[in-house]
Amino acid sequence: QKEVEQDPGPLSVPEGAIVSLNCTYSNSAFQYFMWYRQYSRKGPELLMYTYSSGNKEDGRFTAQVDKSSKYISLFIRDSQPSDSATYLCAMRRASGGSYIPTFGRGTSLIVHP
Amino acid sequence: EADIYQTPRYLVIGTGKKITLECSQTMGHDKMYWYQQDPGMELHLIHYSYGVNSTEKGDLSSESTVSRIRTEHFPLTLESARPSHTSQYLCASSESTRLGSQYFGPGTRLTVT
């Protein structure tokens, strides 16, 4: 079983929809949770960074962490065609490890006009 | 926007050639990383460095080598390229703080014929 599971999609939604992207994980030692966005033929760029459980909001993006369920989510409100990209979740320990994150395989999102 | 650069962006070479993929960052980050990414798959860590003269192998078995003679420079070398090395190679760097998140370069897309 992989430490981080992420449905590769593709997920296709109409413009303006609310998008929910999710990851599950098995390692309870993970404390830092990240979401990256990767456009085609580009490197990943950091979108959101959260520590432990709870919600974090940044504009149209909300990151949510439920450590009891080992489940994290990224919500995108009022989705735009420019949001079409692959979204990767990543997570890592706070201590006792190399601090190198473990990545999910990414979910491909397509927002059509 | 993160200042991390990779050259070349695209490379097509024949089997058996020696190649070096360049990565430079201007942020003064101590930690640098090389990942391999195939379409729809997870990022696989190949090598990482925690500072000058420090290099470690990652999770993915690789026939590549790296060096870290200067903080800003972390080149990856393939002594003898093979078709199985065809992939996207991503370089990243991060601060040496507890919350230090990774910043990625644009990637090098390598094709070995």
Side-chain angles (χ1 to χ4, degrees):
Chain A
Q1 182 188 6
K2 294 180 181 178
E3 277 193 304
V4 179
E5 297 279 359
Q6 186 175 12
D7 188 331
L11 178 63
S12 182
V13 301
E15 183 176 355
I18 296 174
V19 175
S20 173
L21 303 166
N22 311 295
C23 288
T24 59
Y25 63 96
S26 57
N27 190 339
S28 58
F30 288 143
Q31 295 277 357
Y32 292 99
F33 304 91
M34 295 144 280
W35 285 96
Y36 286 83
R37 178 175 61 195
Q38 185 176 21
Y39 291 114
S40 180
R41 302 189 183 279
K42 302 279 188 182
E45 59 177 320
L46 183 66
L47 266 182
M48 302 283 285
Y49 198 139
T50 55
Y51 172 70
S52 196
S53 288
N55 292 359
K56 184 176 182 179
E57 189 173 319
D58 184 2
R60 295 185 295 112
F61 298 90
T62 299
Q64 192 172 81
V65 175
D66 182 349
K67 291 193 68 183
S68 62
S69 302
K70 297 191 180 66
Y71 189 89
I72 68 170
S73 300
L74 177 71
F75 298 97
I76 307 174
R77 292 185 299 279
D78 187 25
S79 56
Q80 303 294 311
S82 59
D83 294 327
S84 298
T86 296
Y87 290 80
L88 299 98
C89 64
M91 49 199 77
R92 66 175 179 86
R93 301 165 183 263
S95 63
S98 65
Y99 301 112
I100 297 174
T102 300
F103 286 84
R105 62 189 297 185
T107 298
S108 175
L109 173 66
I110 301 167
V111 182
H112 51 85
Chain B
E1 189 170 327
D3 296 322
I4 181 163
Y5 309 98
Q6 291 185 244
T7 57
R9 292 293 314 279
Y10 303 93
L11 181 62
V12 180
I13 61 166
T15 298
K17 300 291 185 183
K18 177 180 179 178
I19 59 168
T20 296
L21 308 183
E22 302 288 348
C23 176
S24 294
Q25 51 96 5
T26 58
M27 298 170 283
H29 288 169
D30 287 327
K31 296 180 181 176
M32 297 189 74
Y33 315 81
W34 275 103
Y35 290 90
Q36 187 173 335
Q37 184 184 37
D38 293 313
M41 302 301 291
E42 298 92 336
L43 294 173
H44 290 290
L45 183 68
I46 313 172
H47 295 279
Y48 61 99
S49 167
Y50 282 168
V52 171
N53 295 325
S54 154
T55 62
E56 300 286 345
K57 289 192 173 183
D59 303 324
L60 183 65
S61 175
S62 172
E63 293 146 342
S64 58
T65 58
V66 291
S67 62
R68 191 85 183 278
I69 299 172
R70 303 197 316 266
T71 298
E72 63 271 20
H73 194 216
F74 191 42
L76 175 79
T77 298
L78 282 169
E79 292 292 333
S80 180
R82 301 201 304 215
S84 60
H85 293 136
T86 295
S87 188
Q88 162 122 312
Y89 292 83
L90 291 164
C91 180
S93 70
S94 66
E95 295 176 332
S96 294
T97 60
R98 184 172 289 276
L99 296 178
S101 54
Q102 291 180 320
Y103 294 92
F104 284 84
T108 293
R109 186 169 296 276
L110 173 66
T111 302
V112 183
T113 60

